[in-house]
Amino acid sequence: MIYLVGNELRADHYCDYLNQPRYVARPTTDPSIVDLEFREATNLDTHPRHFHATTWHVVDATHMTQDWQVEGGPKGHADVHLEFTRTDRSADDTGSG
């Protein structure tokens, strides 16, 4: 969930790791970048693996990437890279039904 608190952009992540990290956006001069840093989290004492930070890059109107840093797992630090492409659902519609 992404929301504003005053002029501060924040995000909460309801995670499959059974915790809820909360982030705050760091200032950036590139308007296509959202850089979220760890602010706090619930349940880290019992579920320490968590997504610690993330950078989102809006490439264009149909493409976005996300780079996540995972901390607290059995292997220590891990990086996750995701790529998203918006599709036109009407192009997939066969018109039946």
Short mmCIF file of all heavy atoms in Angstrom, two decimals, residues 33-65:
data_model
loop_
_atom_site.label_atom_id
_atom_site.label_comp_id
_atom_site.label_asym_id
_atom_site.label_seq_id
_atom_site.Cartn_x
_atom_site.Cartn_y
_atom_site.Cartn_z
N ILE A 33 12.12 7.20 -10.89
CA ILE A 33 12.62 6.32 -9.83
C ILE A 33 11.87 6.57 -8.52
O ILE A 33 11.70 7.71 -8.10
CB ILE A 33 14.13 6.55 -9.58
CG1 ILE A 33 14.94 6.29 -10.84
CG2 ILE A 33 14.63 5.74 -8.40
CD1 ILE A 33 15.07 4.82 -11.21
N VAL A 34 11.43 5.49 -7.89
CA VAL A 34 10.93 5.54 -6.51
C VAL A 34 11.86 4.66 -5.70
O VAL A 34 11.97 3.46 -5.96
CB VAL A 34 9.46 5.04 -6.42
CG1 VAL A 34 9.00 5.03 -4.97
CG2 VAL A 34 8.54 5.87 -7.28
N ASP A 35 12.54 5.27 -4.74
CA ASP A 35 13.54 4.58 -3.94
C ASP A 35 13.02 4.52 -2.50
O ASP A 35 12.94 5.54 -1.82
CB ASP A 35 14.86 5.35 -4.02
CG ASP A 35 16.04 4.56 -3.52
OD1 ASP A 35 15.91 3.33 -3.33
OD2 ASP A 35 17.09 5.18 -3.33
N LEU A 36 12.63 3.33 -2.05
CA LEU A 36 12.01 3.17 -0.74
C LEU A 36 13.00 2.52 0.23
O LEU A 36 13.54 1.44 -0.05
CB LEU A 36 10.75 2.32 -0.84
CG LEU A 36 9.63 2.93 -1.69
CD1 LEU A 36 8.58 1.89 -2.02
CD2 LEU A 36 9.01 4.11 -0.98
N GLU A 37 13.22 3.16 1.38
CA GLU A 37 14.11 2.61 2.40
C GLU A 37 13.30 2.12 3.60
O GLU A 37 12.21 2.63 3.88
CB GLU A 37 15.15 3.63 2.83
CG GLU A 37 14.62 4.80 3.58
CD GLU A 37 15.71 5.80 3.96
OE1 GLU A 37 16.90 5.57 3.68
OE2 GLU A 37 15.36 6.83 4.54
N PHE A 38 13.84 1.15 4.28
CA PHE A 38 13.20 0.54 5.44
C PHE A 38 13.01 1.57 6.55
O PHE A 38 13.92 2.33 6.88
CB PHE A 38 14.10 -0.60 5.94
CG PHE A 38 13.52 -1.39 7.07
CD1 PHE A 38 12.60 -2.37 6.84
CD2 PHE A 38 13.93 -1.16 8.37
CE1 PHE A 38 12.08 -3.14 7.88
CE2 PHE A 38 13.43 -1.90 9.42
CZ PHE A 38 12.50 -2.89 9.17
N ARG A 39 11.81 1.60 7.11
CA ARG A 39 11.49 2.50 8.23
C ARG A 39 11.30 1.69 9.50
O ARG A 39 11.85 2.01 10.54
CB ARG A 39 10.23 3.30 7.88
CG ARG A 39 9.87 4.42 8.82
CD ARG A 39 8.77 5.32 8.25
NE ARG A 39 7.56 4.64 7.87
CZ ARG A 39 6.56 4.34 8.69
NH1 ARG A 39 6.62 4.67 9.95
NH2 ARG A 39 5.49 3.72 8.24
N GLU A 40 10.50 0.62 9.43
CA GLU A 40 10.22 -0.25 10.57
C GLU A 40 9.44 -1.46 10.07
O GLU A 40 9.06 -1.51 8.90
CB GLU A 40 9.39 0.48 11.64
CG GLU A 40 8.02 0.91 11.15
CD GLU A 40 7.25 1.73 12.17
OE1 GLU A 40 7.78 2.01 13.25
OE2 GLU A 40 6.10 2.08 11.86
N ALA A 41 9.19 -2.42 10.95
CA ALA A 41 8.41 -3.60 10.56
C ALA A 41 7.82 -4.26 11.80
O ALA A 41 8.35 -4.12 12.90
CB ALA A 41 9.27 -4.60 9.80
N THR A 42 6.75 -5.00 11.58
CA THR A 42 6.18 -5.84 12.63
C THR A 42 6.71 -7.26 12.45
O THR A 42 7.12 -7.66 11.36
CB THR A 42 4.64 -5.87 12.54
OG1 THR A 42 4.26 -6.46 11.29
CG2 THR A 42 4.05 -4.47 12.65
N ASN A 43 6.72 -8.02 13.53
CA ASN A 43 7.02 -9.46 13.54
C ASN A 43 8.44 -9.84 13.14
O ASN A 43 8.69 -11.01 12.83
CB ASN A 43 6.02 -10.24 12.67
CG ASN A 43 4.61 -10.12 13.18
OD1 ASN A 43 4.37 -9.93 14.37
ND2 ASN A 43 3.65 -10.22 12.27
N LEU A 44 9.39 -8.90 13.13
CA LEU A 44 10.76 -9.28 12.77
C LEU A 44 11.41 -10.16 13.83
O LEU A 44 12.31 -10.94 13.51
CB LEU A 44 11.63 -8.04 12.54
CG LEU A 44 11.39 -7.28 11.25
CD1 LEU A 44 12.41 -6.17 11.10
CD2 LEU A 44 11.42 -8.19 10.04
N ASP A 45 10.94 -10.09 15.06
CA ASP A 45 11.51 -10.93 16.11
C ASP A 45 11.23 -12.41 15.84
O ASP A 45 12.07 -13.26 16.09
CB ASP A 45 11.00 -10.51 17.49
CG ASP A 45 9.48 -10.47 17.59
OD1 ASP A 45 8.80 -10.36 16.54
OD2 ASP A 45 8.96 -10.55 18.72
N THR A 46 10.07 -12.73 15.29
CA THR A 46 9.72 -14.13 15.01
C THR A 46 9.90 -14.51 13.54
O THR A 46 10.01 -15.69 13.22
CB THR A 46 8.27 -14.43 15.44
OG1 THR A 46 7.40 -13.51 14.80
CG2 THR A 46 8.12 -14.33 16.95
N HIS A 47 9.91 -13.52 12.65
CA HIS A 47 10.07 -13.76 11.21
C HIS A 47 11.07 -12.74 10.65
O HIS A 47 10.68 -11.75 10.05
CB HIS A 47 8.72 -13.65 10.49
CG HIS A 47 7.69 -14.60 11.01
ND1 HIS A 47 7.71 -15.93 10.69
CD2 HIS A 47 6.65 -14.42 11.85
CE1 HIS A 47 6.69 -16.53 11.30
NE2 HIS A 47 6.04 -15.63 12.02
N PRO A 48 12.38 -12.98 10.87
CA PRO A 48 13.37 -11.96 10.54
C PRO A 48 13.61 -11.72 9.05
O PRO A 48 14.07 -10.65 8.67
CB PRO A 48 14.64 -12.48 11.21
CG PRO A 48 14.44 -13.94 11.35
CD PRO A 48 12.96 -14.13 11.52
N ARG A 49 13.32 -12.70 8.18
CA ARG A 49 13.52 -12.46 6.75
C ARG A 49 12.51 -11.42 6.29
O ARG A 49 11.32 -11.55 6.53
CB ARG A 49 13.34 -13.75 5.95
CG ARG A 49 13.59 -13.52 4.46
CD ARG A 49 13.34 -14.75 3.65
NE ARG A 49 14.27 -15.80 4.04
CZ ARG A 49 14.23 -17.02 3.54
NH1 ARG A 49 13.32 -17.36 2.66
NH2 ARG A 49 15.10 -17.92 3.95
N HIS A 50 13.01 -10.39 5.60
CA HIS A 50 12.11 -9.33 5.14
C HIS A 50 12.71 -8.60 3.95
O HIS A 50 13.91 -8.62 3.72
CB HIS A 50 11.85 -8.33 6.28
CG HIS A 50 13.05 -7.56 6.70
ND1 HIS A 50 14.04 -8.11 7.49
CD2 HIS A 50 13.44 -6.29 6.45
CE1 HIS A 50 14.98 -7.21 7.70
NE2 HIS A 50 14.64 -6.09 7.07
N PHE A 51 11.84 -7.95 3.20
CA PHE A 51 12.26 -7.08 2.11
C PHE A 51 12.69 -5.76 2.74
O PHE A 51 11.87 -5.03 3.27
CB PHE A 51 11.14 -6.87 1.10
CG PHE A 51 10.87 -8.10 0.27
CD1 PHE A 51 9.79 -8.91 0.55
CD2 PHE A 51 11.71 -8.43 -0.77
CE1 PHE A 51 9.54 -10.04 -0.21
CE2 PHE A 51 11.47 -9.56 -1.54
CZ PHE A 51 10.39 -10.37 -1.26
N HIS A 52 13.99 -5.48 2.70
CA HIS A 52 14.54 -4.36 3.46
C HIS A 52 14.48 -3.03 2.71
O HIS A 52 14.30 -1.99 3.34
CB HIS A 52 15.97 -4.66 3.86
CG HIS A 52 16.50 -3.74 4.90
ND1 HIS A 52 16.13 -3.83 6.23
CD2 HIS A 52 17.32 -2.67 4.81
CE1 HIS A 52 16.72 -2.87 6.91
NE2 HIS A 52 17.45 -2.15 6.08
N ALA A 53 14.62 -3.05 1.41
CA ALA A 53 14.57 -1.82 0.62
C ALA A 53 14.20 -2.20 -0.81
O ALA A 53 14.34 -3.35 -1.22
CB ALA A 53 15.91 -1.10 0.64
N THR A 54 13.73 -1.21 -1.56
CA THR A 54 13.36 -1.46 -2.94
C THR A 54 13.51 -0.20 -3.77
O THR A 54 13.31 0.91 -3.27
CB THR A 54 11.92 -2.01 -3.05
OG1 THR A 54 11.62 -2.30 -4.42
CG2 THR A 54 10.89 -1.04 -2.51
N THR A 55 13.86 -0.38 -5.01
CA THR A 55 13.92 0.72 -5.97
C THR A 55 13.05 0.34 -7.16
O THR A 55 13.22 -0.74 -7.74
CB THR A 55 15.36 0.98 -6.45
OG1 THR A 55 16.16 1.29 -5.32
CG2 THR A 55 15.41 2.12 -7.45
N TRP A 56 12.09 1.20 -7.47
CA TRP A 56 11.20 0.98 -8.61
C TRP A 56 11.58 1.96 -9.70
O TRP A 56 11.78 3.15 -9.44
CB TRP A 56 9.75 1.22 -8.21
CG TRP A 56 9.24 0.27 -7.17
CD1 TRP A 56 9.92 -0.70 -6.50
CD2 TRP A 56 7.90 0.24 -6.65
NE1 TRP A 56 9.10 -1.34 -5.61
CE2 TRP A 56 7.86 -0.79 -5.68
CE3 TRP A 56 6.77 0.97 -6.90
CZ2 TRP A 56 6.70 -1.10 -4.98
CZ3 TRP A 56 5.62 0.66 -6.21
CH2 TRP A 56 5.59 -0.36 -5.26
N HIS A 57 11.67 1.46 -10.92
CA HIS A 57 11.99 2.29 -12.07
C HIS A 57 10.87 2.17 -13.09
O HIS A 57 10.64 1.09 -13.63
CB HIS A 57 13.33 1.86 -12.68
CG HIS A 57 13.72 2.66 -13.88
ND1 HIS A 57 14.33 2.11 -14.97
CD2 HIS A 57 13.58 3.98 -14.16
CE1 HIS A 57 14.56 3.04 -15.87
NE2 HIS A 57 14.11 4.17 -15.40
N VAL A 58 10.18 3.28 -13.33
CA VAL A 58 9.15 3.32 -14.37
C VAL A 58 9.87 3.60 -15.68
O VAL A 58 10.32 4.73 -15.93
CB VAL A 58 8.08 4.39 -14.07
CG1 VAL A 58 7.03 4.41 -15.17
CG2 VAL A 58 7.45 4.15 -12.71
N VAL A 59 10.02 2.57 -16.50
CA VAL A 59 10.79 2.66 -17.73
C VAL A 59 10.03 3.47 -18.78
O VAL A 59 10.57 4.37 -19.40
CB VAL A 59 11.14 1.25 -18.26
CG1 VAL A 59 11.89 1.31 -19.57
CG2 VAL A 59 11.93 0.47 -17.20
N ASP A 60 8.76 3.12 -18.96
CA ASP A 60 7.88 3.84 -19.88
C ASP A 60 6.45 3.51 -19.48
O ASP A 60 6.21 2.94 -18.42
CB ASP A 60 8.19 3.50 -21.35
CG ASP A 60 8.08 2.02 -21.67
OD1 ASP A 60 7.21 1.32 -21.08
OD2 ASP A 60 8.86 1.54 -22.51
N ALA A 61 5.49 3.86 -20.32
CA ALA A 61 4.07 3.69 -19.97
C ALA A 61 3.66 2.24 -19.78
O ALA A 61 2.63 1.96 -19.16
CB ALA A 61 3.19 4.34 -21.03
N THR A 62 4.46 1.29 -20.27
CA THR A 62 4.08 -0.12 -20.16
C THR A 62 5.12 -0.99 -19.46
O THR A 62 4.92 -2.21 -19.36
CB THR A 62 3.79 -0.71 -21.55
OG1 THR A 62 4.94 -0.56 -22.37
CG2 THR A 62 2.60 -0.04 -22.20
N HIS A 63 6.21 -0.42 -19.00
CA HIS A 63 7.27 -1.23 -18.38
C HIS A 63 7.74 -0.63 -17.07
O HIS A 63 7.93 0.59 -16.97
CB HIS A 63 8.47 -1.36 -19.31
CG HIS A 63 8.14 -2.05 -20.59
ND1 HIS A 63 7.72 -1.36 -21.71
CD2 HIS A 63 8.14 -3.35 -20.92
CE1 HIS A 63 7.49 -2.23 -22.68
NE2 HIS A 63 7.73 -3.44 -22.22
N MET A 64 7.96 -1.50 -16.08
CA MET A 64 8.49 -1.09 -14.79
C MET A 64 9.39 -2.21 -14.27
O MET A 64 9.10 -3.40 -14.49
CB MET A 64 7.37 -0.84 -13.78
CG MET A 64 7.88 -0.41 -12.42
SD MET A 64 6.59 0.02 -11.24
CE MET A 64 6.03 -1.60 -10.76
N THR A 65 10.46 -1.84 -13.57
CA THR A 65 11.29 -2.82 -12.89
C THR A 65 11.29 -2.52 -11.40
O THR A 65 11.07 -1.38 -10.98
CB THR A 65 12.74 -2.82 -13.40
OG1 THR A 65 13.35 -1.56 -13.11
CG2 THR A 65 12.80 -3.11 -14.89
#
